[in-house]
Amino acid sequence: MPLRFYNTLTQDVEVFRPLQDNTVRMYTCGPTVYNYAHIGNFRAFTFQDILRRWLRYRGYQLNHVMNVTDVDDKIIVNAAQAKKSIKDYTAAFTQAFFEDAAALRLERPEHVAPATQHISQMVEAIQNLAAQGCTYQSDGSTYFRISSFPEYGKLSHNDFGGIRSGARVDVDEYDKADARDFVLWKARKEGEPAWDTPFGPGRPGWHIECSAMAMSYLGETLDIHAGGVDLIFPHHENEIAQSESITHKPFARYWLHSEHLQIESQKMSKSLGNFYTVRDLLEMGYQPEAIRYLLASVPYRKKLNFTFEGLKAATKSIERLRDFELRLTTTKFPPGSNPEIAGRSRAAIEQFENGMDDDLNTAEALAAIYEYVRAMNTAIDENRFREDNRWDAARVLEIFECVFDCLKPADQAIARSEESPVGGTLPDSDIERLIEQRTAAKKARDFQKADAIRAQLLEQGIVLEDTKDGVRWKRK
RNA sequence: GGCGCGGUAGCCAAGUGGUAAGGCAGAGGUCUGCAAAACCUUUAUUCGGCGGUUCGAUCCCGCCCCGCGCCUCCA
């Protein structure tokens, strides 16, 4: 089965094919840098990362643009409260965002587009819309006239036909002709940043940046546009209205939306205090790979119930896979290759691929890995695993890592020094020497001394495992 | 009210018209000087409830109950 995605536009699962040759032109809605992004935000960004990685695994070249909204109401308010310039304020949170993203091993898109660096493209887009009669001005602001776009509502599947200007709209509340009209350009206000334009000084409305930047980097029709479900309406609906009014062509062919993350079955909110950032969780001592694994392990269209129990389970799951990888690389196997193992490896890869191809069903893909790992552990226990089968197993783990990227530990020196400043980093040579001493003690049947050495190493975060091929150790 | 998503074992979570993947946790066991790791067995006669279609439904249809999201800024 070919690669398929659920398309919000058609409400159906569709086979994916890029418009032009082998390149996928993709636009995703990035962060608004008014604060630290929380793990709910990062669920969406992790989904986008998984999407990127799987597209590439499937042989596509990527041209991915992500915007950074660096001017909006909240930014203006927060920066003022922090007594910082907009520029300094957003620069700090932009940097923090990419630090967190790096901790979660999110690939950097080919283009990161800050809104304030693309004002001219937005101005051009608005002028184009004005020329086509899709806009009007009111009190110095420029609005998009929704009645000029009959298809409005096709993404969110809302029927706005019945709602006409004046019908149920409180005309005093807005300066808009129709309650659903949205602002393209906000009139200048005292104390707010503003740019001079042919249609007056002011700053961009939220939606226009995505249309303008997406089309300037990727052309009139994108292959994929992705974001969180909360963006379907009005943001993406408005993007379609703007873009298609300009080009009269489809703006994006596949619309992919990730579901929200909930915390302990509740909505995430500041008032409930259940609002976690990546750095909150890292400070609690959780591994970034575990956060990534947890966010990636639940298929993106399903609500993800974040719990600490789940985060701990993710940590243990990764440990199991790491232990398997360690066993593979440290065990001595008889020479040759067992064709049964090779065949089982190919089957695991196929199952993994089938899962991912099915609208990025990561749960299915993971099941393939775990079933495989258990089968291989059994094969090793029963001495059916051969030297050359190492490469079969390594290939399976490699493909897993292409997507999940959580086996290689983060910089352990840093992680450990934060967690246990006393413990420090014991050099490998010291560890090896202590292990030799313990082995000698064991040989002399001095188990008390042997266990003391093992306990001593454990205090340093070093776990020993006796195997028939000798002692294996790992950092906890 | 409109639009949309979901309710599967203690927790997380796949899935199919023919009788329930996987992970974590729990219990028992094998192995081990003891551990660790690994493996084995075990944990849903049952998939929110009630009807219907069908030889047969967790999966299709209807109704109901519950949770969540969007409809204003929001991943």
Side-chain angles (χ1 to χ4, degrees):
Chain A
M1 287 283 270
L3 178 58
R4 290 148 286 153
F5 295 128
Y6 179 85
N7 188 350
T8 305
L9 190 63
T10 57
Q11 296 182 298
D12 207 358
V13 176
E14 299 175 356
V15 172
F16 176 73
R17 284 260 166 270
L19 194 60
Q20 290 172 4
D21 45 75
N22 229 29
T23 300
V24 176
R25 285 160 309 136
M26 171 159 100
Y27 186 93
T28 58
C29 289
T32 299
V33 285
Y34 70 100
N35 206 333
Y36 294 110
H38 54 66
I39 54 172
N41 297 316
F42 275 108
R43 199 240 172 144
F45 299 126
T46 302
F47 145 65
Q48 292 162 14
D49 183 67
I50 299 290
L51 172 62
R52 279 182 58 90
R53 287 164 178 259
W54 193 247
L55 286 167
R56 221 182 28 244
Y57 179 84
R58 278 316 194 192
Y60 296 111
Q61 296 240 296
L62 291 171
N63 191 5
H64 173 193
V65 179
M66 181 179 79
N67 69 309
V68 172
T69 302
D70 58 354
V71 57
D72 91 321
D73 296 356
K74 270 183 281 196
I75 289 171
I76 292 166
V77 170
N78 287 14
Q81 279 177 354
K83 297 196 189 331
K84 283 187 176 174
S85 71
I86 303 274
K87 197 176 173 185
D88 289 348
Y89 187 81
T90 56
F93 284 111
T94 301
Q95 189 189 336
F97 173 78
F98 284 109
E99 285 170 4
D100 292 346
L104 296 184
R105 302 186 190 185
L106 305 185
E107 294 182 346
R108 200 172 170 101
E110 281 65 33
H111 301 282
V112 172
T116 55
Q117 289 174 33
H118 297 80
I119 299 293
S120 64
Q121 287 90 330
M122 298 183 216
V123 169
E124 198 182 321
I126 293 168
Q127 286 186 294
N128 195 321
L129 287 170
Q132 305 209 37
C134 303
T135 71
Y136 60 91
Q137 294 222 330
S138 176
D139 276 354
S141 292
T142 304
Y143 294 91
F144 182 91
R145 190 189 308 278
I146 274 168
S147 58
S148 72
F149 189 70
E151 291 181 279
Y152 193 77
K154 68 179 177 180
L155 180 69
S156 56
H157 305 283
N158 281 312
D159 179 11
F160 295 107
I163 301 167
R164 275 280 165 265
S165 52
R168 294 169 43 209
V169 178
D170 179 355
V171 286
D172 295 332
E173 195 177 342
Y174 298 106
D175 326 320
K176 296 189 280 189
D178 183 310
R180 317 237 167 211
D181 288 346
F182 57 90
V183 69
L184 294 163
W185 195 257
K186 294 187 175 183
R188 171 181 205 132
K189 276 192 200 162
E190 191 59 37
E192 289 190 357
W195 288 261
D196 282 321
T197 75
F199 36 85
R203 59 186 173 95
W206 175 37
H207 313 293
I208 193 64
E209 70 179 62
C210 289
S211 290
M213 296 195 292
M215 292 197 290
S216 79
Y217 282 94
L218 301 172
E220 295 181 329
T221 299
L222 322 175
D223 289 307
I224 295 176
H225 194 131
V229 284
D230 52 338
L231 296 182
I232 295 171
F233 190 88
H235 185 51
H236 289 165
E237 196 74 73
N238 291 352
E239 283 186 47
I240 289 175
Q242 295 165 344
S243 305
E244 299 189 358
S245 291
I246 292 172
T247 66
H248 302 284
K249 290 178 184 167
F251 178 45
R253 301 168 58 235
Y254 300 88
W255 288 87
L256 275 54
H257 292 98
S258 53
E259 252 297 350
H260 277 172
L261 174 148
Q262 295 175 250
I263 292 197
E264 306 281 2
S265 299
Q266 285 185 302
K267 184 182 173 179
M268 206 161 37
S269 78
K270 284 175 179 168
S271 59
L272 287 167
N274 57 2
F275 202 86
Y276 299 104
T277 63
V278 170
R279 42 199 75 207
D280 288 338
L281 298 176
L282 296 182
E283 276 169 28
M284 290 178 201
Y286 293 101
Q287 297 175 13
E289 305 90 79
I291 303 170
R292 174 180 173 84
Y293 178 96
L294 179 61
L295 297 181
S297 63
V298 178
Y300 76 95
R301 286 202 295 129
K302 176 136 183 161
K303 286 182 189 65
L304 191 163
N305 187 21
F306 177 90
T307 64
F308 284 99
E309 191 180 352
L311 188 53
K312 284 168 191 149
T315 307
K316 295 289 285 182
S317 299
I318 293 171
E319 194 180 337
R320 169 133 179 256
L321 297 175
R322 285 175 174 167
D323 283 339
F324 173 65
E325 189 178 40
L326 187 66
R327 191 180 192 195
L328 270 182
T329 53
T330 57
T331 307
K332 291 190 181 108
F333 301 110
S337 174
N338 181 345
E340 178 210 332
I341 302 287
R344 188 67 186 71
S345 302
R346 282 192 297 273
I349 290 170
E350 194 182 328
Q351 190 189 339
F352 185 90
E353 291 175 344
N354 286 343
M356 293 302 294
D357 281 344
D358 181 14
D359 197 28
L360 307 178
N361 188 340
T362 48
E364 181 68 28
L366 281 174
I369 296 300
Y370 286 108
E371 283 173 48
Y372 176 75
V373 166
R374 177 153 29 76
M376 290 306 103
N377 272 320
T378 302
I380 295 171
D381 286 349
E382 296 175 351
N383 201 29
R384 287 185 284 112
F385 201 94
R386 295 291 172 267
E387 182 63 29
D388 291 347
N389 292 132
R390 266 188 223 279
W391 308 111
D392 300 320
R395 179 68 186 142
V396 175
L397 290 180
E398 188 189 331
I399 291 170
F400 167 80
E401 280 290 84
C402 279
V403 177
F404 286 89
D405 198 2
C406 62
L407 293 184
K408 301 278 179 295
D411 190 334
Q412 290 180 322
I414 293 170
R416 242 191 350 275
S417 65
E418 281 173 359
E419 280 170 34
S420 52
V422 187
T425 56
L426 202 58
D428 287 10
S429 58
D430 288 5
I431 295 167
E432 302 288 355
R433 194 179 320 120
L434 283 165
I435 288 174
E436 278 172 33
Q437 288 175 17
R438 173 170 171 273
T439 305
K442 274 179 65 179
K443 214 162 204 171
R445 312 286 298 172
D446 185 354
F447 294 120
Q448 208 168 8
K449 184 180 177 190
D451 289 351
I453 293 171
R454 186 169 62 194
Q456 181 192 341
L457 282 167
L458 186 60
E459 273 183 41
Q460 305 281 328
I462 309 299
V463 179
L464 299 191
E465 295 175 10
D466 295 334
T467 75
K468 66 181 173 64
D469 295 321
V471 182
R472 178 164 71 203
W473 65 272
K474 64 181 179 184
R475 296 183 194 274
K476 200 174 179 181

